[in-house]
Amino acid sequence: MSIGRVENKFGIKLDNQQLQAVNHLYGPALVLAGPGSGKTTVITARISHLILNCGVEPENILTLTFNKAARAEMEYRFKRVYGQDISRRVHFATLHSFCRRILRDYENRQGNRFRLIEGEEKVEENKRKIIKELYFQINNAKINDDELENLINAIGFIKNKMIKNIDHFESGIKNFSLIYKAYEEHKRSKYYIDFDDMLTYAYNILLKCPDILLYYRNRYSFIQVDEGQDLSKIQFEILKLLINPQKNNVFIVADDDQSIYGFRGAEPKYILQITQHFRGCKVLYLENNYRSTKNIVDISSMFIRENKHRFDKKHNTDNEKKHDPLIVEVKDYTMQLNYLVDKLKVHLKEGLSIAILYRNNLSSIVIADKLDRKDISFKVKQNKLLYFNHWIIQDVIAFFRFALDARDGEAFSRIYYKMNRYISKAMLEYALKGNGEKHIIDRILESDEVKPFQRIRFEELKKDFTILTKVTPVQALNYVKSSFNYFDYVKSYCENTGQSFDYLCRMYSILEAIAEECLTIQDFLKRLEDLKIMFDSPRDLKHKEGVTITTIHSSKGLEYDVVFMIDLREDEIPGANVVETAKQNNDYSVLEEERRLFYVGMTRAKEYIYLLCPGLKSAKSTFVIEVEKLVRNAAINEVGEGLIIKHKYFGEGVIVAVLECKSSQTLLEIDFKGVRRKLDVGVCIDNGLIEL
């Protein structure tokens, strides 16, 4: 059966580039698959071609993906189209689950069973608990959630990058190398492994056990890899070991323009240098975008070409032109939210699929709060949100709880030293042993430790807490920040630990945004609890046309009719000083990854893409400015005599002449129902004055 007959039999239609990829059977190949180019169709069609036309046994084909969702989707689509004709199982696996299988083979030989301390397996200890305890033992201090996340990520980064010299690794974490070594030793002693260990153990097993390596090389004569740009060093080395060197049948589908997991150790260089690793590797292209309108394809393609370290591609589409990327500048985050809600209502009525994308998980909180209050159906797609457990949030909750109940010793114990009121630990301990029905500050005043000048200050402190119960939550938050001198403590903490003060201010501003809709601090505390439950529990869409809110990272591989990219400020994406640092050090790797991330966000959109920029013009993202120029230039290139335009103030008109000026301006002479005007097309487009 030829591939043409496969197309006819199974009702699939492949373009010329897809056919070329599916017809590549033997030897190494890299398929550069642009957004919306049908890569899953190609991978599944190639499997069927190998089995039905080339006589390859299904069990000899291995297809590797990077997450469970991608594996399940690919297997489902394969079975849906080809399942009736190919009943024997084709192996689809995530890289991690495949490495776990290698580890199982080794366990069966050795007689020892490793226990996984991450995921669904139940053990008496888990990864986070172990690392927390080791941090405390080594540093004699508790680790907060943000620091714990950074520590876990740093350990994973080392494993994925195969870094040997731990002592010189810059993590910004106190005694990192000691914690890392203690963690590794703890696991070894108890036969524990985490997800990253699946990779390192599998790699070492394949190196040291020739019989296991030979088994897998003989078993899988054809290996396919999806999302090859996400390979880390350890994953790439495992892949090279698995491939039978006599056959070299590896088929990698990737897009170097969508490599966005540098923080996990992934690098596009393995794809860019593919011919150095696999001699004679054929490079194929899937450049036709079946997802997005021509406007989005053209602008996003020009945007990503600013990156220098990439394969050159000619993205195109047969889809018609519709809407240019719409750049929306608003005064602040509140106006951004209001604009978002108004547009969502419009597009939801149209029955369109919608996503709100952001760089930082923090952005999701205020959006979820607003959409929930407006009864707009939504789901939050993300792994974890540590916001509500963060110490600064817990501090604010403690301030408010103590204001409501002056006998709450737990709340007061959390904040007594964070108000610059010189309350000693001895005073606190004395108070906690006193009459539990009394105001804690009254109990402190009974202590011999209290000096006369302190009595006045403590009486004032009692009044301050009383004030909190009588003002709005927004006013109360401002009062905590200023009158309680809480931000003096926060600044001091940042100076001592190196944490970002601006980041903590952003966390506090989220509280202020939530508080705007609350009448009392009781309402505010209840709202925080409701939001925490909302984020801790899976939230399904009530209707098919609901809104997905997610990070740009988590949106990769997905598509929506309408995409809103929000919070597009320079300090958010590409990030504060990233552009300047790249120029100064002549190292553009970080900037290029941030550009790829922005590109991934844009290319999720099928029809509408909104780029929302809250704040001053000076805060606007470099990337938004670039897109703005591209949209402007594309519009200018389209103008010509006879084109009908609509002006915001002058109404409908016809272009009668296009005049080029020495200053690179393009002037249009337009006839507005008998009145001719000369207008600067660039100025008109920049200010949204004309529609072509």
Side-chain angles (χ1 to χ4, degrees):
M1 187 188 292
S2 69
I3 187 59
R5 288 174 62 196
V6 168
E7 286 185 275
N8 294 333
K9 179 178 174 66
F10 296 105
I12 59 170
K13 181 64 179 170
L14 303 173
D15 63 34
N16 289 335
Q17 289 186 329
Q18 291 173 333
L19 275 171
Q20 192 177 8
V22 170
N23 279 320
H24 178 91
L25 302 175
Y26 306 105
L30 170 66
V31 180
L32 294 167
S37 60
K39 67 182 179 69
T40 303
T41 298
V42 165
I43 292 170
T44 53
R46 181 173 182 265
I47 296 171
S48 72
H49 186 36
L50 285 168
I51 296 169
L52 298 174
N53 299 340
C54 306
V56 177
E57 297 296 332
E59 54 266 30
N60 295 142
I61 303 170
L62 171 66
T63 301
L64 296 171
T65 66
F66 274 84
N67 59 63
K68 291 179 181 178
R71 184 208 62 76
E73 171 68 13
M74 194 168 291
E75 188 167 22
Y76 166 76
R77 287 177 62 175
F78 178 80
K79 286 180 177 177
R80 186 186 65 189
V81 178
Y82 307 105
Q84 286 189 333
D85 286 68
I86 304 171
S87 57
R88 284 154 62 198
R89 186 172 180 269
V90 176
H91 194 184
F92 296 89
T94 66
L95 234 162
H96 278 82
S97 67
F98 186 77
C99 287
R100 185 72 193 272
R101 181 174 165 181
I102 293 171
L103 189 53
R104 286 279 189 233
D105 290 345
Y106 181 78
E107 288 173 334
N108 292 335
R109 172 199 286 184
Q110 300 300 113
N112 292 319
R113 181 71 68 182
F114 291 96
R115 287 179 292 175
L116 184 62
I117 54 172
E118 279 189 279
E120 297 172 0
E121 289 193 23
K122 304 296 181 187
V123 291
E124 61 271 20
E125 295 185 283
N126 63 62
K127 182 175 184 175
R128 298 179 74 85
K129 180 173 180 281
I130 293 166
I131 293 175
K132 267 186 178 182
E133 290 173 353
L134 291 172
Y135 183 94
F136 184 79
Q137 290 170 20
I138 291 169
N139 289 329
N140 195 29
K142 289 184 179 180
I143 187 170
N144 65 46
D145 285 335
D146 278 352
E147 292 166 336
L148 178 61
E149 204 62 28
N150 290 337
L151 180 49
I152 289 171
N153 288 339
I155 292 170
F157 186 83
I158 283 171
K159 296 286 183 72
N160 276 276
K161 297 279 277 188
M162 302 179 76
I163 295 170
K164 302 296 183 193
N165 195 343
I166 310 303
D167 294 325
H168 290 86
F169 179 73
E170 291 291 335
S171 69
I173 298 163
K174 186 179 179 183
N175 292 319
F176 173 76
S177 64
L178 292 178
I179 298 166
Y180 180 92
K181 291 170 185 174
Y183 176 57
E184 293 302 297
E185 180 53 39
H186 183 84
K187 287 186 295 178
R188 270 193 297 271
S189 67
K190 296 202 170 188
Y191 284 92
Y192 286 163
I193 57 167
D194 59 24
F195 286 145
D196 296 315
D197 292 329
M198 289 183 188
L199 303 175
T200 54
Y201 275 58
Y203 174 70
N204 286 314
I205 290 165
L206 293 174
L207 277 181
K208 296 175 181 177
C209 305
D211 56 324
I212 293 177
L213 176 62
L214 188 61
Y215 167 78
Y216 283 105
R217 281 182 172 177
N218 290 336
R219 170 73 187 272
Y220 297 112
S221 47
F222 292 86
I223 296 179
Q224 302 185 128
V225 181
D226 187 25
E227 303 285 7
Q229 74 280 350
D230 293 336
L231 288 163
S232 66
K233 182 174 175 58
I234 185 75
Q235 291 168 339
F236 193 67
E237 293 300 325
I238 290 168
L239 179 64
K240 287 198 295 183
L241 284 172
L242 286 172
I243 294 162
N244 189 319
Q246 275 73 48
K247 297 179 179 177
N248 224 12
N249 294 329
V250 59
F251 187 83
I252 302 174
V253 180
D255 184 3
D256 51 304
D257 289 333
Q258 296 188 65
S259 178
I260 58 173
Y261 292 111
F263 63 93
R264 294 183 189 165
E267 293 184 65
K269 73 175 185 181
Y270 306 116
I271 298 304
L272 294 171
Q273 300 169 358
I274 196 78
T275 54
Q276 297 176 26
H277 300 284
F278 300 108
R279 190 169 294 176
C281 182
K282 195 169 184 180
V283 179
L284 306 169
Y285 291 82
L286 301 181
E287 296 167 306
N288 198 25
N289 187 313
Y290 293 94
R291 173 188 300 156
S292 306
T293 62
K294 184 168 173 53
N295 314 57
I296 293 171
V297 172
D298 289 349
I299 296 296
S300 62
S301 298
M302 287 187 282
F303 172 78
I304 198 61
R305 285 193 194 114
E306 285 298 309
N307 274 1
K308 305 305 177 192
H309 300 97
R310 61 184 293 272
F311 285 101
D312 188 31
K313 310 172 191 74
K314 297 178 177 65
H315 297 126
N316 56 74
T317 185
D318 294 329
N319 294 337
E320 63 183 82
K321 292 193 72 161
K322 287 192 177 179
H323 316 284
D324 280 331
L326 186 62
I327 295 158
V328 183
E329 296 179 47
V330 290
K331 180 183 174 183
D332 52 30
Y333 290 106
T334 301
M335 287 188 68
Q336 176 181 251
L337 267 179
N338 293 337
Y339 179 88
L340 200 55
V341 168
D342 290 343
K343 285 294 178 183
L344 287 175
K345 288 177 179 176
V346 172
H347 289 309
L348 284 170
K349 283 181 181 177
E350 297 168 342
L352 301 178
S353 59
I354 304 171
I356 302 170
L357 310 183
Y358 37 81
R359 178 73 173 82
N360 193 309
N361 263 332
L362 289 180
S363 299
S364 64
I365 302 161
V366 177
I367 297 168
D369 179 50
K370 187 77 168 181
L371 299 193
D372 187 60
R373 288 183 182 279
K374 295 292 182 181
D375 200 30
I376 295 175
S377 179
F378 70 95
K379 68 176 177 183
V380 182
K381 183 180 181 294
Q382 58 193 32
N383 295 326
K384 60 177 79 74
L385 183 71
L386 304 173
Y387 178 80
F388 297 100
N389 294 327
H390 193 278
W391 60 266
I392 204 166
I393 310 306
Q394 292 300 313
D395 281 356
V396 171
I397 290 171
F399 272 107
F400 286 3
R401 282 186 176 156
F402 184 71
L404 294 172
D405 182 3
R407 299 164 300 177
D408 191 333
E410 183 181 348
F412 193 76
S413 297
R414 183 178 185 93
I415 59 175
Y416 77 95
Y417 61 95
K418 300 177 180 180
M419 301 179 287
N420 197 19
R421 295 302 206 277
Y422 303 104
I423 302 172
S424 68
K425 192 169 185 180
M427 292 177 189
L428 174 71
E429 289 172 351
Y430 178 86
L432 293 178
K433 291 175 185 174
N435 185 346
E437 295 303 311
K438 273 190 173 184
H439 196 301
I440 283 184
I441 295 176
D442 286 337
R443 289 184 243 164
I444 290 175
L445 287 168
E446 294 171 356
S447 168
D448 295 335
E449 293 263 334
V450 180
K451 306 291 188 292
F453 77 90
Q454 289 178 305
R455 292 184 176 277
I456 298 171
R457 298 194 71 181
F458 290 167
E459 290 291 351
E460 290 173 348
L461 184 60
K462 280 179 66 178
K463 291 177 184 175
D464 285 337
F465 275 107
T466 302
I467 288 170
L468 284 187
T469 64
K470 296 180 178 179
V471 296
T472 67
V474 171
Q475 292 168 328
L477 284 166
N478 188 54
Y479 204 76
V480 167
K481 185 164 44 175
S482 52
S483 296
F484 281 94
N485 304 310
Y486 178 62
F487 264 41
D488 290 343
Y489 166 78
V490 174
K491 283 178 185 174
S492 175
Y493 177 87
C494 291
E495 288 166 4
N496 292 331
T497 63
Q499 280 208 20
S500 167
F501 180 66
D502 289 340
Y503 178 74
L504 296 181
C505 287
R506 169 85 188 278
M507 298 191 87
Y508 205 84
S509 71
I510 290 169
L511 290 177
E512 293 169 326
I514 295 168
E516 286 180 4
E517 301 283 344
C518 301
L519 297 176
T520 67
I521 59 174
Q522 290 96 329
D523 292 339
F524 176 69
L525 291 173
K526 175 70 166 57
R527 187 58 182 165
L528 288 183
E529 187 59 34
D530 289 345
L531 286 169
K532 185 178 188 302
I533 292 168
M534 189 186 299
F535 277 91
D536 286 346
S537 309
R539 185 183 176 94
D540 295 324
L541 293 176
K542 297 173 189 171
H543 308 288
K544 184 182 176 182
E545 65 273 15
V547 180
T548 299
I549 62 178
T550 183
T551 61
I552 305 174
H553 280 99
S554 294
S555 74
K556 190 157 79 72
L558 303 174
E559 59 181 44
Y560 306 90
D561 297 320
V562 186
V563 168
F564 295 88
M565 291 174 66
I566 66 166
D567 296 347
L568 299 180
R569 296 165 52 93
E570 184 75 355
D571 55 3
E572 195 77 8
I573 185 167
N577 305 318
V578 168
V579 175
E580 290 77 9
T581 303
K583 289 177 181 175
Q584 288 171 8
N585 300 334
N586 196 30
D587 179 2
Y588 290 84
S589 56
V590 174
L591 180 61
E592 291 208 350
E593 176 153 333
E594 291 295 318
R595 184 185 299 281
R596 293 193 293 268
L597 183 63
F598 198 94
Y599 172 75
V600 165
M602 289 183 69
T603 53
R604 299 312 92 202
K606 295 165 74 173
E607 189 167 338
Y608 296 91
I609 175 75
Y610 293 85
L611 307 178
L612 273 59
C613 316
L616 302 171
K617 276 190 176 290
S618 58
K620 188 161 60 175
S621 168
T622 297
F623 297 150
V624 174
I625 295 169
E626 290 181 16
V627 171
E628 204 167 33
K629 289 177 181 175
L630 291 170
V631 172
R632 182 178 187 263
N633 292 340
I636 290 172
N637 291 336
E638 282 187 10
V639 299
E641 293 180 14
L643 186 69
I644 297 173
I645 67 104
K646 187 176 181 181
H647 193 280
K648 189 174 183 180
Y649 301 114
F650 305 136
E652 198 170 274
V654 179
I655 298 172
V656 294
V658 180
L659 310 171
E660 296 290 341
C661 301
K662 290 182 180 178
S663 60
S664 297
Q665 288 177 302
T666 299
L667 294 182
L668 302 179
E669 187 173 345
I670 306 172
D671 187 323
F672 292 100
K673 296 179 181 177
V675 179
R676 293 200 174 193
R677 301 178 186 275
K678 289 181 181 179
L679 303 176
D680 184 320
V681 65
V683 171
C684 289
I685 291 169
D686 288 348
N687 292 280
L689 297 177
I690 64 172
E691 293 178 20
L692 303 178

